[in-house]
Amino acid sequence: MTDAYVAIEGGRVVEARSRAPGTTRGELVFTTAYTGYEESLTDPSYEEQILTFSYPLIGNYGVRAERFESDRVHPRGVVARELTEDVAEWLESEGVPAVDHLDTREIVTGIRDEGAMKCGIAAGPDATEEDALAELEQCKHMSDHTEIGAQVSVGEPEVFNEDGAGSTVALIDCGAKGSIIDSLVERDAVVHVLPYDATEDDVAAIDPDLLFISNGPGDPENFEQTKTLVDSYVGETPMAGICLGQQVVASALGGSTEKMEFGHRGVNQPVRDLRTDRVVMTTQNHGYTVAEPGDRLEVTQVNVNDDTPEGLENDDLDIITRQYHPEANPGPNDSLDFFDDVLAMVED
């Protein structure tokens, strides 16, 4: 039964089945992950996007809140070949439109050929093609979401593992996944989560051993205050970053970033360490990347598929960043030692 429509940039409209009703719009992207759908759907990095799953069946092991990366679903809409009742009911309860019974292979191929595209969705018994096209017409480019940090960041500082005996970490929340906090707490760090627009005084009040810039959605060039923090503390406080955090650090230190055609989103992205020649499999979710690292950062890891920078470091300034997600659940776990390396840098 056709009761949903997906309008894609260029004017093409795809018929589908409604699984969670509503109208929505966002940047149409895809993930190749075949597990971890709960983690993907609650990843703040998918804010303002329509998430397409390339794997055909989503929901085959249920929905459990303990696997969530945040307290809500972040994609503006969901597209799949088949969604189970568990996932469909969860998305409906969150007010996130979802559709299935369409050819996701064609959508994924289109994104790979043409790049991430604007998209509009209309789903439900009264939905029309015109409704989906109206949503598409209102869709903005990701870089135009200039205040996206405010949509995903904490409003007030939070502290985790306050009585821990390890390093004190100031985590700048640009859309941090819960697993990053968990990975630091597991190593007995005291984690102060600060808003994305925290000031130098906010950080100074904590007097951290480590400044950590989190992952997050959108264009890193829109995180101006976060870049100011990096510039203020470089050389004074050890620094780490993941995903958007790597891009922000590079931009703040004289590098440049750029929009990718369709990004890296999945759980099987191969990364090569240039110092050890070791290849690890990684989880990734980003649509922007570092174009040039600048003179102050060394590229230490690259993506095997396209040579984009996956790791940046400066041993003298005590900086380690990664474009991928070492903390990713449900895996792979090849790069969990990133957190050990970062905290060892602090101790040294």
Side-chain angles (χ1 to χ4, degrees):
M1 180 180 69
T2 298
D3 58 356
Y5 301 90
V6 180
I8 300 172
E9 189 171 351
R12 184 163 64 97
V13 178
V14 179
E15 296 181 348
R17 177 179 69 163
S18 172
R19 299 310 307 277
T23 56
T24 191
R25 57 187 177 273
E27 181 184 55
L28 184 64
V29 299
F30 70 88
T31 177
T32 59
Y34 40 87
T35 61
Y37 51 84
E38 297 142 307
E39 291 89 343
S40 293
L41 289 168
T42 53
D43 182 349
S45 294
Y46 281 115
E47 188 79 5
E48 295 294 346
Q49 293 177 321
I50 305 295
L51 178 57
T52 302
F53 288 95
S54 66
Y55 189 74
L57 176 61
I58 299 302
N60 56 346
Y61 52 85
V63 176
R64 295 177 61 181
E66 56 264 36
R67 291 195 282 254
F68 294 178
E69 289 288 353
S70 67
D71 60 1
R72 67 177 175 90
V73 173
H74 283 275
R76 292 286 299 269
V78 176
V79 175
R81 180 69 184 92
E82 184 85 30
L83 292 169
T84 65
E85 289 297 326
D86 285 344
V87 173
E89 290 173 3
W90 172 37
L91 293 173
E92 184 170 3
S93 72
E94 292 267 340
V96 176
V99 303
D100 66 3
H101 282 197
L102 70 170
D103 188 352
T104 51
R105 295 170 300 180
E106 182 181 0
I107 290 176
V108 169
T109 301
I111 295 171
R112 286 184 60 89
D113 289 344
E114 302 176 38
M117 296 175 279
K118 296 177 182 178
C119 175
I121 290 178
D126 299 321
T128 65
E129 287 190 31
E130 289 72 23
D131 294 333
L133 287 167
E135 290 293 324
L136 173 63
E137 182 68 23
Q138 298 178 65
C139 189
K140 297 197 296 186
H141 189 278
M142 281 301 292
S143 292
D144 293 334
H145 292 283
T146 56
E147 300 300 323
I148 199 168
Q151 298 173 212
V152 295
S153 181
V154 294
E156 297 293 333
E158 299 177 2
V159 184
F160 294 83
N161 195 34
E162 191 167 5
D163 297 324
S167 301
T168 299
V169 178
L171 175 63
I172 307 304
D173 179 15
C174 302
K177 294 170 63 177
S179 293
I180 294 177
I181 299 170
D182 293 342
S183 296
L184 292 167
V185 167
E186 285 169 5
R187 291 159 175 79
D188 209 23
V190 181
V191 182
H192 293 258
V193 180
L194 300 179
Y196 79 106
D197 57 354
T199 66
E200 292 91 326
D201 289 343
D202 294 331
V203 176
I206 297 170
D207 189 23
D209 302 311
L210 173 70
L211 182 65
F212 200 123
I213 313 300
S214 84
N215 65 292
D219 189 338
E221 302 306 322
N222 287 328
F223 289 79
E224 288 293 340
Q225 178 55 32
T226 314
K227 290 198 294 181
T228 298
L229 280 182
V230 171
D231 186 56
S232 298
Y233 281 92
V234 65
E236 300 295 328
T237 302
M239 198 172 296
I242 287 177
C243 199
L244 177 91
Q246 168 163 293
Q247 301 158 22
V248 167
V249 170
S251 181
L253 299 185
S256 62
T257 62
E258 64 184 0
K259 185 85 162 66
M260 304 174 76
E261 259 194 272
F262 52 83
H264 295 159
R265 297 179 180 89
V267 298
N268 58 351
Q269 291 280 338
V271 170
R272 182 166 69 95
D273 189 296
L274 300 179
R275 293 176 174 177
T276 66
D277 213 30
R278 175 182 176 228
V279 173
V280 296
M281 300 306 292
T282 68
T283 290
Q284 302 197 16
N285 174 17
H286 60 100
Y288 292 79
T289 188
V290 173
E292 294 292 337
D295 298 332
R296 304 170 78 181
L297 295 170
E298 175 191 358
V299 177
T300 58
Q301 297 184 342
V302 296
N303 190 287
V304 172
N305 294 328
D306 61 12
D307 285 330
T308 50
E310 296 284 0
L312 302 175
E313 299 185 26
N314 185 313
D315 296 335
D316 295 329
L317 296 177
D318 294 327
I319 298 173
I320 304 176
T321 68
R322 296 292 183 261
Q323 183 57 67
Y324 52 88
H325 285 271
E327 82 294 342
N329 287 320
N333 297 323
D334 299 27
S335 53
L336 274 173
D337 56 358
F338 165 77
F339 294 95
D340 299 317
D341 293 342
V342 166
L343 295 175
M345 172 183 71
V346 172
E347 292 171 8
D348 292 343

